[in-house]
């Protein structure tokens, strides 16, 4: 049999070796993350450089860059699980070693005080807390998707479709980004009584407050507003999140057929990202073609400097507005950004607004 001192020395050496290996795993993960961050930053820079080429249709290239960004962003499942399991096992063995060393060396007497017990036990709890926090850091580094630890350093792939993030975090032009979305507006039959207003995006960009009114000779027939945020289900085969999509259709609301009495309408679409103070305005010319209303030419887009706004957390607030947008103040004065798409038909009152809960779809 081994004597007690020899056994304690063996346990101590095992404990030291395991903690050293745990630190080595942390160095390995940090080096892997460093290389990944460098690659992701290169892809992000390339994505932003493409956004300024607004005169050509490069949405396909931007979509491929977003997919490429996600490929480098996500850590492979099997190696990630093995590393986390190794960390869990190492921490468990280290804790058992600590407890064994103290248990073997502890001699119970009636004179043992609470202070002396805490003196021996407290380091174990402090060390356990540090190891658990160390595990938390490594796990969030391996799986950065959906946690707030790595997001400031390497933003999730879904943030590359967020207009508010791109304009506020990296200060890119909203107009140049939305140019690549190739916005289109469409009014098509929904059922026997109503037509559906659909915003079409060639490349899905979201995370902005919008205000839309469709009018004929300055008389609105439809008003829509809300916080546009798109969510996609995970891929059915791989189970990984979908960062962006092409040819997205966003239902904005419904218009009764008896309100559509003319063959052409004007539509003004305002985009309010969080990182800006002046909205982007689109002017659509809608013309009846068969049983649908569609645009006949590319929309005009410009920054509307007559409107100044501020978005504080989830509250939308207009600071100055000198353009006389129909019903704008009345419908948006108490708006809270809650991912809802609201619409209103005549009479245009806040109590008549309804939430368009129809899901975004791809065609």
């Amino acid at each position: 049999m081994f004597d007690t001192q020899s056994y304690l020395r063996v346990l101590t050496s095992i404990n030291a070796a395991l903690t050293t290996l745990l630190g080595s795993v942390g160095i390995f993960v940090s080096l892997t993350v460093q290389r990944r961050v460098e690659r992701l930053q290169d892809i992000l820079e390339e994505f932003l450089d493409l956004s300024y080429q607004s005169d050509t249709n490069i949405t396909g290239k931007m979509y491929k860059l977003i997919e490429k960004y996600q490929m480098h962003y996500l850590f492979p499942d099997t190696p990630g699980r093995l590393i986390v399991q190794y960390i869990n096992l190492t921490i468990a063995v280290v804790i058992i070693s600590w407890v064994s060393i103290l248990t073997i060396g502890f001699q119970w007497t009636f004179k043992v005080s609470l202070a002396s017990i805490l003196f021996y036990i407290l380091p174990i709890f402090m060390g356990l807390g540090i190891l658990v926090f160390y595990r938390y850091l490594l796990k969030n580094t391996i799986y950065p998707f959906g946690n707030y630890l790595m997001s400031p350093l390497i933003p999730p792939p879904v943030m590359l479709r967020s207009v508010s993030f791109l304009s506020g975090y990296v200060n890119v032009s909203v107009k140049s980004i939305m140019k690549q979305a190739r916005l289109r507006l469409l009014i098509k039959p929904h059922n026997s009584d109503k037509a559906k207003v659909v915003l079409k995006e060639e490349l899905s960009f979201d995370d902005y407050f919008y205000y839309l009114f469709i009018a004929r000779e300055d008389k609105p027939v439809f008003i829509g507003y809300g916080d546009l945020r798109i969510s996609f289900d995970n891929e059915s085969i791989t189970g990984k999140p979908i960062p962006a999509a092409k040819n997205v259709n966003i239902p904005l609301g419904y218009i009764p057929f008896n309100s559509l009495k003319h063959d052409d309408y004007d539509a003004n679409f305002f985009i309010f990202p969080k990182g800006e103070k002046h909205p982007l305005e689109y002017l659509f010319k809608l013309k009846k073609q068969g049983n649908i209303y569609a645009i006949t030419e590319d929309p005009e887009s410009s920054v509307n400097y007559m409107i100044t706004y501020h978005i504080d957390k989830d509250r939308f607030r207009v600071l100055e507005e000198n353009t006389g947008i129909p019903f704008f103040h009345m419908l948006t004065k108490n708006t809270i950004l809650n991912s809802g798409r609201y619409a209103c038909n005549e009479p245009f009152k806040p109590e008549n607004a309804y939430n368009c809960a129809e899901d975004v779809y791809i065609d």
Side-chain angles (χ1 to χ4, degrees):
M1 294 292 295
F2 293 104
D3 63 284
T4 303
Q5 294 300 322
S6 298
Y7 184 69
L8 290 178
R9 284 193 292 270
V10 171
L11 280 182
T12 304
S13 62
I14 293 174
N15 191 13
L18 290 176
T19 51
T20 302
L21 288 175
L22 188 61
S24 301
V25 171
I27 295 175
F28 165 75
V29 172
S30 65
L31 291 176
T32 303
V33 170
Q34 180 181 356
R35 292 180 62 115
R36 194 196 320 179
V37 169
E38 292 175 353
R39 185 57 182 151
L40 291 176
Q41 288 177 341
D42 290 340
I43 297 174
L44 183 59
E45 290 178 4
E46 188 177 354
F47 177 84
L48 296 178
D49 289 340
L50 280 179
S51 67
Y52 291 102
Q53 303 176 23
S54 57
D55 295 333
T56 57
N57 190 343
I58 52 174
T59 55
K61 294 181 180 179
M62 296 181 73
Y63 178 75
K64 290 180 179 178
L65 282 178
I66 295 176
E67 286 190 324
K68 188 177 181 181
Y69 186 94
Q70 170 155 303
M71 181 184 68
H72 288 275
Y73 183 85
L74 296 178
F75 201 86
D77 289 337
T78 301
R81 286 198 302 268
L82 290 176
I83 292 176
V84 172
Q85 290 174 1
Y86 171 79
I87 294 173
N88 294 337
L89 183 60
T90 301
I91 292 177
V93 173
V94 168
I95 296 301
I96 293 174
S97 299
W98 286 348
V99 174
S100 300
I101 291 173
L102 286 180
T103 302
I104 295 174
F106 183 77
Q107 295 180 357
W108 179 266
T109 63
F110 292 102
K111 297 181 179 180
V112 175
S113 63
L114 179 62
S116 61
I117 294 178
L118 291 177
F119 179 77
Y120 284 101
I121 299 300
L122 190 59
I124 292 182
F125 287 101
M126 293 178 61
L128 176 61
I130 293 174
L131 286 179
V132 170
F133 183 68
Y134 183 70
R135 175 189 179 276
Y136 167 79
L137 294 177
L138 291 182
K139 184 177 180 180
N140 284 348
T141 303
I142 296 171
Y143 300 108
F145 200 91
N147 67 73
Y148 298 99
L149 179 65
M150 299 297 295
S151 293
L153 184 61
I154 46 175
V158 294
M159 300 305 291
L160 296 189
R161 73 166 187 255
S162 168
V163 176
S164 295
F165 168 78
L166 293 174
S167 64
Y169 185 79
V170 295
N171 199 28
V172 70
S173 170
V174 174
K175 185 177 180 181
S176 62
I177 282 290
M178 293 308 298
K179 190 77 172 180
Q180 302 306 324
R182 312 290 169 180
L183 296 183
R184 299 290 185 268
L185 198 65
L186 182 71
I187 303 176
K188 64 180 184 179
H190 177 64
N191 54 32
S192 59
D193 299 324
K194 297 179 181 179
K196 178 166 60 176
V197 180
V198 179
L199 177 68
K200 302 174 72 71
E201 292 186 355
E202 190 171 334
L203 181 61
S204 58
F205 283 105
D206 66 347
D207 194 14
Y208 55 81
F209 183 81
Y210 70 90
Y211 188 85
L212 166 70
F213 70 91
I214 301 175
R216 165 77 180 188
E217 297 178 351
D218 296 330
K219 183 181 180 181
V221 297
F222 173 84
I223 291 178
Y225 61 94
D227 182 26
L228 181 59
R229 298 182 189 179
I230 304 172
S231 60
F232 299 108
D233 295 331
N234 294 340
E235 293 183 2
S236 57
I237 299 177
T238 63
K240 297 185 182 300
I242 299 176
K246 298 174 67 177
N247 301 321
V248 175
N249 294 264
I250 307 166
L252 299 182
Y254 310 97
I255 305 177
F257 278 126
N258 56 16
S259 297
L260 299 173
K261 301 176 181 179
H262 302 279
D263 292 338
D264 57 299
Y265 290 91
D266 294 332
N268 294 72
F269 186 70
F270 297 87
I271 294 176
F272 302 85
K274 292 182 181 179
E276 301 290 323
K277 62 179 181 179
H278 302 294
L280 182 64
E281 181 180 2
Y282 278 81
L283 177 59
F284 297 95
K285 299 288 186 179
L286 297 173
K287 190 173 182 62
K288 190 172 184 180
Q289 302 175 16
N291 61 347
I292 67 172
Y293 288 84
I295 61 175
T296 56
E297 57 186 20
D298 290 336
E300 300 177 8
S301 63
S302 61
V303 178
N304 192 324
Y305 294 99
M306 302 296 289
I307 303 175
T308 305
Y309 70 94
H310 178 66
I311 297 179
D312 183 17
K313 296 182 180 178
D314 293 330
R315 178 73 65 175
F316 175 76
R317 192 158 51 96
V318 179
L319 304 179
E320 184 179 1
E321 192 267 308
N322 299 314
T323 58
I325 304 175
F327 304 99
F328 181 64
H329 286 282
M330 182 176 64
L331 292 175
T332 64
K333 61 181 179 180
N334 295 319
T335 300
I336 297 177
L337 306 186
N338 58 358
S339 302
R341 287 171 273 132
Y342 298 93
C344 190
N345 304 106
E346 292 185 287
F348 298 103
K349 297 180 180 180
E351 56 268 23
N352 291 335
Y354 58 91
N355 185 15
C356 181
E358 186 174 348
D359 293 335
V360 175
Y361 60 93
I362 300 172
D363 61 11

